[in-house]
Amino acid sequence: MRQSTASPAEDTITAIDSSLMLKVFYAFAALALLSAVLSFGGKWFGRSIAMAGHTDDATLHEIVIGNNVISVPANAIRFERARRDGIAARLDLYLRWPDMEGYSETARDDFNNADGTKRILFLTFEESMMSRDMSGRFAPIYRSLIEQPGKPGPHGVTLYNFTEKSGYLNEVLAVAARAGQAPFVARCLTGPSAEESLAPCERDIQLGDNLSLTYRFPRELLADWPRLEASVTAKAARILKTGR
């Protein structure tokens, strides 16, 4: 009985078929892997776009400014590059009024100013460059730079225009008396600049060990300034530790 043997041509065809099938297999495997990577990457990238620089990560970070340590969650730190432990010259936070908490999914519209309602406070901690805070500067500095008389504002606030030579263009000074203390004092933008700003009013206070806290807030909160001041100082006291 004669045994059949494959011709050289048939061997070549078989080898080509095997090689081709192997290449097809690897091609499909690569496509499947690429599809998985793109799916994961798309979800991650889509989330990063939706977050728009925000984070809902509540991991605590300790930032050292001079002899002060500020312990604050990542979602309250305004800029991504600052969401780390270590030494810094300044720290910028943002918090939602009135709960005084950082970014979350439920608060997304407020942080993005989706409905035009201004509810975000901006806080900046840095070493103090002046011997007096804004309240302490009223009598020796601001009083000589404002026009008298002022105009009545909300909740006992008096609004003063600055003189033309003061250097404070398109701003007013908001002043409210406090029993046994220096007055509450803030500067607020006016006109188009105020309309475009999420927080057109600014006030600075001194705390900790030679630390200055500047906080900016919506002008509407002048009507609730005692609560605003108490909330900001209470929040600062909770997150701040000093070397003293």
Side-chain angles (χ1 to χ4, degrees):
M1 183 175 182
R2 187 170 60 181
Q3 184 178 8
S4 67
T5 58
S7 68
E10 290 174 336
D11 288 340
T12 301
I13 292 172
T14 301
I16 292 174
D17 287 345
S18 297
S19 176
L20 179 61
M21 290 302 295
L22 192 60
K23 289 180 180 179
V24 170
F25 171 78
Y26 284 138
F28 276 109
L31 286 173
L33 179 61
L34 180 61
S35 177
V37 170
L38 289 175
S39 176
F40 175 79
K43 290 178 181 178
W44 180 88
F45 188 60
R47 174 175 169 78
S48 69
I49 291 175
M51 297 295 277
H54 307 305
T55 181
D56 53 8
D57 179 13
T59 301
L60 287 176
H61 292 289
E62 290 193 342
I63 294 88
V64 180
I65 302 178
N67 291 325
N68 306 277
V69 178
I70 302 169
S71 180
V72 65
N75 65 337
I77 300 175
R78 186 178 177 191
F79 301 115
E80 184 177 0
R81 64 180 180 274
R83 294 170 189 153
R84 58 176 179 78
D85 298 324
I87 298 173
R90 62 181 280 167
L91 177 64
D92 294 284
L93 308 181
Y94 56 174
L95 305 170
R96 184 175 69 158
W97 175 262
D99 60 24
M100 302 298 288
E101 298 296 334
Y103 179 87
S104 66
E105 282 299 307
T106 57
R108 177 176 56 189
D109 287 347
D110 289 335
F111 278 85
N112 291 330
N113 192 35
D115 62 0
T117 302
K118 300 174 181 179
R119 295 190 180 94
I120 304 302
L121 309 181
F122 299 91
L123 284 64
T124 299
F125 293 86
E126 56 191 338
E127 288 193 85
S128 181
M129 302 297 291
M130 299 184 181
S131 59
R132 301 170 184 263
D133 61 17
M134 193 169 284
S135 290
R137 297 196 299 272
F138 176 68
I141 299 176
Y142 289 130
R143 191 189 295 274
S144 63
L145 300 177
I146 55 177
E147 297 177 348
Q148 299 284 358
K151 299 177 181 179
H155 204 109
V157 171
T158 302
L159 301 173
Y160 296 94
N161 292 322
F162 283 99
T163 62
E164 291 184 2
K165 296 181 180 180
S166 67
Y168 295 103
L169 299 176
N170 301 317
E171 292 188 39
V172 296
L173 192 70
V175 182
R178 297 186 293 184
Q181 300 181 64
F184 171 89
V185 180
R187 297 201 324 267
C188 295
L189 295 173
T190 60
S193 298
E195 295 298 325
E196 296 170 2
S197 174
L198 294 177
C201 293
E202 175 181 301
R203 169 168 168 76
D204 65 69
I205 58 178
Q206 292 184 339
L207 68 170
D209 186 353
N210 194 40
L211 192 67
S212 175
L213 166 57
T214 299
Y215 67 90
R216 296 189 294 114
F217 57 94
R219 181 162 175 162
E220 292 79 3
L221 292 184
L222 281 177
D224 202 9
W225 68 263
R227 183 184 175 201
L228 171 66
E229 178 86 344
S231 295
V232 170
T233 55
K235 182 69 174 184
R238 287 195 297 271
I239 65 177
L240 177 64
K241 302 174 183 177
T242 69
R244 288 180 176 176

